[in-house]
Amino acid sequence: MSGTQTGSHRAGGAHASPVVELDDVHLSFAGVKAINGVSLQVQPGELFAVIGPNGAGKTSLFNVISGVYRPQKGRISVLGEDVLGAKPNAIARRGVARTFQNIALFEHLTVVDNLMLGRHQHIGYGALSAVLWRGRARSQEIEHRRRCEEIVDFLELAQWRSLPVGLLPYGVQKRVELGRALAMEPKLLLLDEPVAGMNLEETEDMARFVLDIRDELDLAIIMVEHDMGLVMDLADRVLVVDFGTPITTGTPDEVQRHPEVVRAYLGEALS
Ligand SMILES: Nc1ncnc2c1ncn2[C@@H]1O[C@H](COP(=O)(O)OP(=O)(O)OP(=O)(O)O)[C@@H](O)[C@H]1O
């Protein structure tokens, strides 16, 4: 893809400014503490994973970063700008894209058209130019299609590019969803259980694409995932949460050796 760089700021490089920063974030629902004092920073080119048992608050964390929920306390900034209270579409425009646990695609539309929907926020022409199909509308449409075709190549989707997404295997649909997030040209990519429900081959493919995205596009990535093997293989750093409370943040090695993590709930999964 054009404009690519290598992930030179990996794992919290000293000179990079964080793409996203959370400081002592708290979120409760009628007495349930979904997030209880989480702080984190993710740098460009860093793959940051969040793990924890069911109900630990992982999806809630994505929802506060993307503006779906407003925390009662704490600070959240994206690219140095405070985004607390901003609407989800404003945060998306700031450079935050997301994939979901359950696939959220338009299944009657083709792969390329689903990717084009990810370009929505970059479309700058008015309705009249679009109807008349001239000038800015025409040149922008061509450019958007070109960007989408780059993503088709990058994610090896060419053989399915003109098929309705609903007809494609599950693993390919998850890849299209990833592609649509990339079409937004984000600075921060939130991946919610990217390999949930996948077979081994699909999981390996997805792992490869996630690494390619980190290394070639220099994005900050936060990944929530239950597949511990995958997390420990891929992540630069891992945050462990339990009942909304952060237990530790560190490299996969550090986290796996943390006594409280082992004792609390990871011992069996990692042994
Ligand atoms: N909209 C909501 N209303 C009320 N409670 C909620 C809401 N969203 C989340 N919660 C509660 O907040 C807590 C954290 O939920 P969350 O979905 O963030 O956990 P999770 O770690 O993503 O779980 P899973 O691994 O099962 O997806 C849970 O107790 C959940 O019931």
Side-chain angles (χ1 to χ4, degrees), residues 29 32-34 52-61 69 101 193 224 226:
F29 298 101
V32 175
K33 274 256 172 207
N54 288 333
K58 305 179 298 295
T59 302
S60 297
L61 212 49
Y69 297 151
Q101 273 175 38
E193 299 195 26
V224 162
H226 283 288

Side-chain angles (χ1 to χ4, degrees), residues 138-164:
R138 183 153 195 272
S139 60
Q140 281 204 15
E141 171 86 7
I142 291 167
E143 174 60 12
H144 290 310
R145 293 224 167 253
R146 190 185 67 73
R147 295 285 181 104
C148 290
E149 292 299 342
E150 284 182 349
I151 293 169
V152 164
D153 289 343
F154 186 75
L155 296 179
E156 299 171 14
L157 290 165
Q159 64 179 297
W160 300 286
R161 58 184 303 293
S162 304
L163 293 178

Side-chain angles (χ1 to χ4, degrees), residues 6-26:
T6 52
S8 52
H9 311 295
R10 269 212 9 226
H15 305 296
S17 328
V19 175
V20 63
E21 188 167 7
L22 271 64
D23 182 20
D24 195 27
V25 168
H26 293 253

Side-chain angles (χ1 to χ4, degrees), residues 27-224:
L27 174 77
S28 304
F29 298 101
V32 175
K33 274 256 172 207
I35 303 176
N36 188 19
V38 169
S39 301
L40 60 85
Q41 288 189 345
V42 188
Q43 311 289 341
E46 184 177 21
L47 175 41
F48 187 92
V50 182
I51 62 171
N54 288 333
K58 305 179 298 295
T59 302
S60 297
L61 212 49
F62 276 6
N63 282 331
V64 294
I65 294 172
S66 53
V68 177
Y69 297 151
R70 184 186 177 132
Q72 284 89 6
K73 188 178 163 211
R75 273 192 333 107
I76 303 177
S77 60
V78 174
L79 296 169
E81 185 181 290
D82 190 346
V83 294
L84 201 71
K87 296 267 182 290
N89 55 0
I91 293 178
R93 274 199 304 276
R94 184 110 192 106
V96 178
R98 173 175 189 181
T99 67
F100 293 86
Q101 273 175 38
N102 302 311
I103 292 172
L105 292 168
F106 290 88
E107 50 181 48
H108 300 295
L109 297 183
T110 67
V111 169
V112 172
D113 286 342
N114 269 283
L115 298 185
M116 281 293 280
L117 289 172
R119 302 290 308 163
H120 172 76
Q121 67 191 5
H122 295 285
I123 289 175
Y125 47 78
L128 186 61
S129 330
V131 169
L132 298 175
W133 184 240
R134 68 182 186 205
R136 204 159 159 222
R138 183 153 195 272
S139 60
Q140 281 204 15
E141 171 86 7
I142 291 167
E143 174 60 12
H144 290 310
R145 293 224 167 253
R146 190 185 67 73
R147 295 285 181 104
C148 290
E149 292 299 342
E150 284 182 349
I151 293 169
V152 164
D153 289 343
F154 186 75
L155 296 179
E156 299 171 14
L157 290 165
Q159 64 179 297
W160 300 286
R161 58 184 303 293
S162 304
L163 293 178
V165 157
L167 298 180
L168 304 180
Y170 176 77
V172 178
Q173 291 192 24
K174 291 284 272 190
R175 219 188 297 167
V176 176
E177 208 196 8
L178 177 62
R180 190 179 53 186
L182 289 182
M184 293 169 65
E185 295 183 32
K187 300 286 186 289
L188 171 66
L189 184 58
L190 305 176
L191 302 177
D192 201 348
E193 299 195 26
V195 303
M198 286 191 177
N199 63 33
L200 187 61
E201 193 186 343
E202 290 171 335
T203 300
E204 285 174 356
D205 282 346
M206 182 57 85
R208 180 164 56 87
F209 289 120
V210 170
L211 286 179
D212 285 351
I213 289 167
R214 178 192 66 186
D215 294 341
E216 294 188 32
L217 305 186
D218 208 28
L219 299 185
I221 302 175
I222 306 182
M223 175 174 79
V224 162

